[in-house]
Amino acid sequence: MRSSAVCLLLAICIVASQPFMAVVRAQLLLEEDCLALPSESTVNAVVVYEKICFFSTATQYTWEDYTYDGSNPRTEHAPFGCVDWALGTPWEGTNHGATMAHPKNAAENTAMQSMSGWVGVRQDISSENGQAVEPAGEWKWVDDGTSLDDGFAGWASPSGDPQPDDDHDGAFSYFFVIDCALATSTGWFDDDCNDFKSVLCQLPIADNPYTQLSNIVLNGYELSPEFVDTTFLYNTTVPNSETEIGVALYLFDPKASVTINSVPVTAGTGDFFVVQNLVVGVDVNVITIEVTAENGNTQTTTLTVTRLPSTVDRLTQLEVSNTGGAALSPDFNGFVNSYTMTVENQYDFVVITP
C-alpha cells in the first residue's frame, strides 16, 4: 500500500508541474465545413461566431485527459475530444489545431452558450521542490496561461466569482481540490476536473478562397463559348447600333469582391450578382473582370465585345451654304444620289455639310 501511495502522488506531481503553454493554431477550416460537423459522430453541435467555429464533443472526457495513449500523440492542454476530432474525419490523420474553447469576451461566450462542456479555464497548479502545491485560487486560460483577473470571465455568479456546479461534490484530488471551468447556458461553474463532461472546442475559420464566377449573362446576346466556371476567355458580337451592353456577373461566394476594368463594383444581395451597362465603341472592346476572394486570391476573366462597323451607306441630311439662296435640285432625299445647283458668279465656293 505504501508504494502504491507513492506512485499515485508522483503521478499527480507530473501532471501538476506541466506549465501552461500556448497552442499553435492553423486556419484550415471553412465556415461550410464547420456547419457540416454535426454529421460527424464525434461532434454534438456547432456554433459559428465571426471567424470562430465552436463545437462540442459527443464523447465525455475529464478536463485533465491530455496525455497520450501510445498510438495517437496528443497536444498538451488539448483534451482528447478536441484532438480526437482533429485526427479523425473529415480530415483523417491531420491535426487541424483544435483547442479547448477559450472565449475571451462576452460576445464569444454568449455565442457558445447553447452548448455545455469543459472550457479552457482551470485553477493554476504549480510545483515547489518537485511537489504539487495547492492552487491559491488563481484561474488561468489554458491557451496562453494568462490570468482571468486580467480580462473577461464568464462565471454564473453575479459577483463574477467561481461558483460550484450543482453536482460538484467538492471531492479532493488526492490532497487538494483541482477545479476546472464548466460552461453552461447560464454561465461558467467550477467543477472537479476529474468529472467526465463534453468538451467545448474551437477552430479559427479561414477566409473563403473562392474566386469563381457562377455565371455571366449578357442582355440580349450570347456568350461564346457557353459559360463554364473553369473558362476565363469569352467573346460576343453586337451590331453597330449598340453603344452599350448589359452584363450580369453571378458570384460563387458573396464575400468576394469584383472589379470591371479595374473599377470596383458592388455586388447585389440576392443571388450575389453584379449588373453593369458597359459602353462599347466600334471595333474590339476588351472587358477585364477580376474577382478577389475573401482570402486575397484573384482570378481574371476576359470578355471581348466586338461592335460591328456601320452598314448604312446613305446620308440622312445634306446642307449647302454660301449659295446666295440657290437650292438643291431636286430637294434632298436619302435615296437620291444626284443633285444640281446653280449659283451666281460672285460665289467662288460653297459649303457642303452632310
Side-chain angles (χ1 to χ4, degrees), residues 63-316:
W63 199 101
E64 298 284 2
D65 211 356
Y66 50 71
T67 56
Y68 61 92
D69 62 8
S71 59
N72 286 333
R74 310 297 176 178
T75 303
E76 281 190 306
H77 300 292
F80 280 178
C82 299
V83 179
D84 273 345
W85 171 83
L87 290 171
T89 57
W91 300 286
E92 187 65 37
T94 302
N95 187 335
H96 283 254
T99 64
M100 291 186 81
H102 43 276
K104 293 299 180 68
N105 55 60
E108 290 182 6
N109 191 58
T110 300
M112 54 177 272
Q113 279 188 334
S114 61
M115 301 181 293
S116 176
W118 292 125
V119 290
V121 174
R122 76 166 186 188
Q123 286 180 294
D124 190 20
I125 305 171
S126 58
S127 63
E128 185 175 294
N129 298 323
Q131 296 289 315
V133 178
E134 182 174 1
E138 184 176 17
W139 290 79
K140 289 190 175 182
W141 292 101
V142 66
D143 66 313
D144 57 14
T146 58
S147 172
L148 264 65
D149 296 338
D150 300 331
F152 172 77
W155 301 114
S157 170
S159 66
D161 297 322
Q163 183 167 319
D165 188 41
D166 293 339
D167 63 355
H168 182 35
D169 56 13
F172 279 81
S173 294
Y174 310 114
F175 56 88
F176 55 81
V177 176
I178 304 174
D179 278 345
C180 296
L182 178 70
T184 72
S185 60
T186 57
W188 301 352
F189 294 88
D190 61 320
D191 208 338
D192 187 341
C193 299
N194 294 303
D195 285 353
F196 284 81
K197 310 285 185 182
S198 291
V199 181
L200 302 188
C201 308
Q202 74 177 65
L203 273 170
I205 292 177
D207 291 336
N208 287 350
Y210 306 118
T211 58
Q212 299 99 311
L213 293 169
S214 58
N215 202 3
I216 300 176
V217 178
L218 305 180
N219 185 16
Y221 298 97
E222 297 294 327
L223 202 62
S224 177
E226 291 185 2
F227 179 83
V228 178
D229 61 7
T230 54
T231 298
F232 306 106
L233 295 174
Y234 297 95
N235 300 277
T236 195
T237 300
V238 300
N240 179 264
S241 58
E242 291 284 10
T243 58
E244 62 181 27
I245 185 171
V247 180
L249 308 175
Y250 291 78
L251 305 180
F252 180 83
D253 179 18
K255 295 181 180 179
S257 59
V258 185
T259 64
I260 298 179
N261 291 337
S262 300
V263 177
V265 293
T266 303
T269 56
D271 293 325
F272 317 121
F273 64 91
V274 175
V275 178
Q276 287 286 108
N277 288 324
L278 303 176
V279 175
V280 289
V282 177
D283 208 0
V284 175
N285 301 263
V286 178
I287 298 169
T288 301
I289 302 160
E290 184 174 81
V291 178
T292 302
E294 187 184 24
N295 73 347
N297 291 348
T298 60
Q299 178 61 60
T300 299
T301 299
T302 301
L303 170 62
T304 301
V305 180
T306 301
R307 180 182 169 194
L308 297 175
S310 174
T311 59
V312 178
D313 59 358
R314 299 183 183 279
L315 294 175
T316 58

